[in-house]
Amino acid sequence: MTVNILIFLPVIAALAVLLFKNNAAKHAALAFSVAELAVAAFFLTKFVPDASVQFAVDVPWIPKLGIYFHAGIDGISMIMILLTTLLVPLIILTTYKHQYKNAAAFYALILFMQAALVVVFTALDGFLFYVGWEAALIPIYFICALWGGENRIRITLKFFIYTFSGSLFMLLAIIYLYLQTPEKTYDITHFYNLSLTIHQQSWVFWAFFVAFAIKMPTFPFHTWQPDTYTESPTAGSMMLGGIMLKMGIYGVIRWMIPNVPLGFYNWQSMTIMLSVIGIGYASIIAFTQKDGKRLVAYSSIAHVGLIAAGIFVWNNEGLQGAMIQMLSHGINIVGMFFIWDIISTRLNTRQISDLGGIAKTAPKFAIAFLIIVLGTVALPLTNGFVGEFLLLLSVLQWNIWMVTAAGLTMIFGAVYMLRMYKKVMQGETNALTATFTDISGSETLVLSIICALIIVIGIYPHPILHISDAAVKELVHSVNIKTYQVKP
């Protein structure tokens, strides 16, 4: 069995869902997404946690141009596959109490986007990686533009321009690397083996960096994110924050640093500084937010800034922290967006100042909300803790002042998240919140799964770390060998 089934099953599912209407489309999409999760779980049972690429497919696509359909899974890819296949059925399940106009198209776009994301996380051919990267943009554009808020057209256009422009820089970098290979191939192993000068690698580095920094996003390429997350339908925000931004982080790990290690080393200090600035900037802005969903958007920028800083230090702790934190962040942000979707659906507002006392009328909701908040602020024994600990440890090995700045701003994050929880859930109910009803049905199921994952991963993170450990060590070592001669 090869990775082909993970790539094409969602495509077939998307086409099949178009044949259904309304609730039938919803049920079919959920069934197909659970089937994809089952396939991923089967792959996991057969996966050997070493540094090798497994379940590979490598067939000619456009051989005259050196383009092959080459994809496979190693420990790093496996974490991303688990993230994608786990979150998509949860995201579909969060929509069960909503009715969408042209529901078949809505769910088909989600499944098509899942296929594109799997391509990105498994591609071993530069051209295939670019195709998956661009293919993921198309469905999320239509999801946001057709089912988003009042300002969806303007905001979605800004998002499209940002991400598409960044993609063009990445395409130039991939084509340049292709032209430097003696065999004229897009194969990633040939890219890794190129011997380019520091000057060549520096400009390729920046071409990749712009594309990946926009997608993550990291400071100062983040300005599209808060508006897009806020105006998107909740399922779209979940796909963006839970999975799609991980494309940029994954691209840095797989395609940027190993391809141009000398260029990366030349600009390493600046990338770490930009990441830490992003943590502080987003945390400060989050303090001022009155819209709950927008606050979550800014908190995401801060968390991604820490992930980026840990990666750019480039050591085992940083990459392992990034891997488990990408999984944890995806789970937590889907939970946070769902919390605010429930509130806005019941009360028709996301203004924090309008709320209060909800815990008195919805105790089950209050408990779930608190667990998700604690995971988000990285309380020990929650899923956010081990990743943030490893990332801060990684940055500490680089510079004590950088880790101090990053650590202080993460404390700020805990303050504004807990303050938000207190304002929304505690105190006395008002005329609006007195009518709030507790969670039930699909809401209870989704929040129960998310809370269970937060606790289980927090208590016992070893299985997740073990999956990627060997692949991370191999990648870090190979890059360090290439940069050894220029390091002081």
Side-chain angles (χ1 to χ4, degrees):
M1 184 178 288
T2 68
V3 73
N4 266 345
I5 188 171
L6 283 171
I7 294 173
F8 290 108
L9 177 58
V11 175
I12 295 170
L15 296 174
V17 165
L18 290 173
L19 303 176
F20 295 88
K21 294 182 179 180
N22 301 324
N23 287 337
K26 184 186 303 181
H27 300 322
L30 179 62
F32 281 120
S33 66
V34 171
E36 178 82 347
L37 175 59
V39 173
F42 176 78
F43 273 64
L44 181 61
T45 62
K46 301 296 182 181
F47 180 75
V48 179
D50 57 20
S52 66
V53 175
Q54 301 164 47
F55 316 114
V57 57
D58 188 5
V59 297
W61 188 7
I62 313 176
K64 289 185 178 180
L65 298 179
I67 299 171
Y68 285 72
F69 194 94
H70 187 193
I73 299 174
D74 68 353
I76 296 171
S77 297
M78 179 57 75
I79 298 292
M80 308 313 300
I81 293 297
L82 292 177
L83 171 73
T84 305
T85 56
L86 174 65
L87 290 188
V88 169
L90 283 178
I91 291 169
I92 292 173
L93 198 55
T94 65
T95 68
Y96 257 53
K97 292 195 174 182
H98 292 278
Q99 294 296 326
Y100 297 96
K101 184 178 180 180
N102 199 354
F106 180 81
Y107 291 106
L109 287 169
I110 290 177
L111 292 169
F112 183 78
M113 185 176 176
Q114 182 182 31
L117 290 164
V118 172
V119 170
V120 169
F121 295 139
T122 61
L124 298 172
D125 178 278
F127 187 83
L128 179 63
F129 175 76
Y130 177 76
V131 169
W133 184 276
E134 291 295 86
L137 176 61
I138 297 169
I140 195 63
Y141 172 83
F142 285 108
I143 289 171
C144 297
L146 297 178
W147 291 277
E150 293 181 3
N151 299 316
R152 62 186 183 276
I153 301 301
R154 176 179 61 85
I155 298 303
T156 306
L157 181 61
K158 178 181 179 181
F159 161 64
F160 181 85
I161 292 172
Y162 257 81
T163 53
F164 184 70
S165 299
S167 301
L168 291 179
F169 283 103
M170 183 179 71
L171 178 60
L172 289 174
I174 290 173
I175 292 174
Y176 182 81
L177 293 174
Y178 161 79
L179 293 174
Q180 305 310 305
T181 59
E183 303 85 355
K184 294 297 179 289
T185 177
Y186 289 93
D187 189 274
I188 195 169
T189 56
H190 290 80
F191 283 5
Y192 284 2
N193 292 329
L194 288 173
S195 298
L196 304 180
T197 66
I198 291 182
H199 175 73
Q200 289 174 304
Q201 291 194 28
S202 291
W203 88 257
V204 173
F205 165 82
W206 279 107
F208 274 126
F209 180 79
V210 170
F212 298 147
I214 289 172
K215 191 73 77 176
M216 288 194 273
T218 190
F219 182 88
F221 303 97
H222 67 282
T223 56
W224 64 268
Q225 189 254 42
D227 290 335
T228 306
Y229 280 25
T230 304
E231 291 295 324
S232 299
T234 300
S237 300
M238 291 175 176
M239 294 293 290
L240 283 166
I243 311 174
M244 193 171 184
L245 72 78
K246 312 309 188 295
M247 291 167 57
I249 302 171
Y250 177 83
V252 167
I253 296 171
R254 177 75 74 197
W255 289 93
M256 187 181 80
I257 295 177
N259 275 329
V260 286
L262 300 182
F264 159 68
Y265 177 74
N266 201 35
W267 295 99
Q268 185 179 25
S269 298
M270 180 175 289
T271 58
I272 295 172
M273 187 176 299
L274 288 175
S275 300
V276 173
I277 290 172
I279 300 172
Y281 168 83
S283 297
I284 292 170
I285 298 298
F287 262 109
T288 67
Q289 297 307 304
K290 299 178 181 179
D291 182 301
K293 193 177 181 183
R294 197 172 183 87
L295 183 148
V296 174
Y298 276 105
S299 74
S300 177
I301 296 175
H303 283 95
V304 169
L306 181 58
I307 295 173
I311 292 171
F312 290 133
V313 172
W314 198 253
N315 55 30
N316 291 337
E317 292 82 2
L319 260 69
Q320 278 289 74
M323 296 311 302
I324 194 167
Q325 193 64 3
M326 280 193 281
L327 179 63
S328 298
H329 176 269
I331 293 167
N332 294 341
I333 199 169
V334 165
M336 288 300 298
F337 279 136
F338 190 41
I339 288 291
W340 281 103
D341 180 63
I342 292 171
I343 292 173
S344 62
T345 300
R346 281 167 168 67
L347 305 179
N348 198 32
T349 183
R350 295 196 302 259
Q351 295 298 305
I352 297 173
S353 59
D354 293 341
L355 306 173
I358 291 178
K360 293 183 176 181
T361 61
K364 290 191 295 182
F365 179 72
I367 293 170
F369 194 177
L370 181 60
I371 292 172
I372 295 169
V373 167
L374 294 178
T376 303
V377 304
L379 185 78
L381 299 183
T382 65
N383 64 345
F385 175 73
V386 64
E388 287 200 3
F389 176 80
L390 289 171
L391 290 165
L392 289 171
L393 179 62
S394 172
V395 179
L396 177 62
Q397 296 177 47
W398 173 261
N399 185 293
I400 191 170
W401 297 110
M402 287 289 187
V403 79
T404 300
L408 285 174
T409 50
M410 297 316 292
I411 293 173
F412 295 159
V415 172
Y416 66 70
M417 291 298 288
L418 291 171
R419 186 182 68 168
M420 177 265 292
Y421 179 84
K422 180 180 178 181
K423 175 61 182 173
V424 173
M425 305 305 293
Q426 303 300 317
E428 297 298 325
T429 57
N430 54 41
L432 181 66
T433 58
T435 63
F436 194 94
T437 56
D438 212 345
I439 54 175
S440 61
S442 60
E443 296 170 339
T444 303
L445 178 59
V446 171
L447 290 177
S448 297
I449 293 171
I450 289 173
C451 291
L453 290 170
I454 288 172
I455 295 169
V456 170
I457 295 174
I459 293 174
Y460 191 51
H462 173 72
I464 305 298
L465 295 170
H466 183 59
I467 291 171
S468 57
D469 183 56
V472 162
K473 287 180 178 176
E474 174 68 23
L475 197 59
V476 170
H477 177 72
S478 65
V479 169
N480 288 345
I481 289 295
K482 294 177 183 178
T483 60
Y484 176 76
Q485 294 181 342
V486 298
K487 288 186 175 181

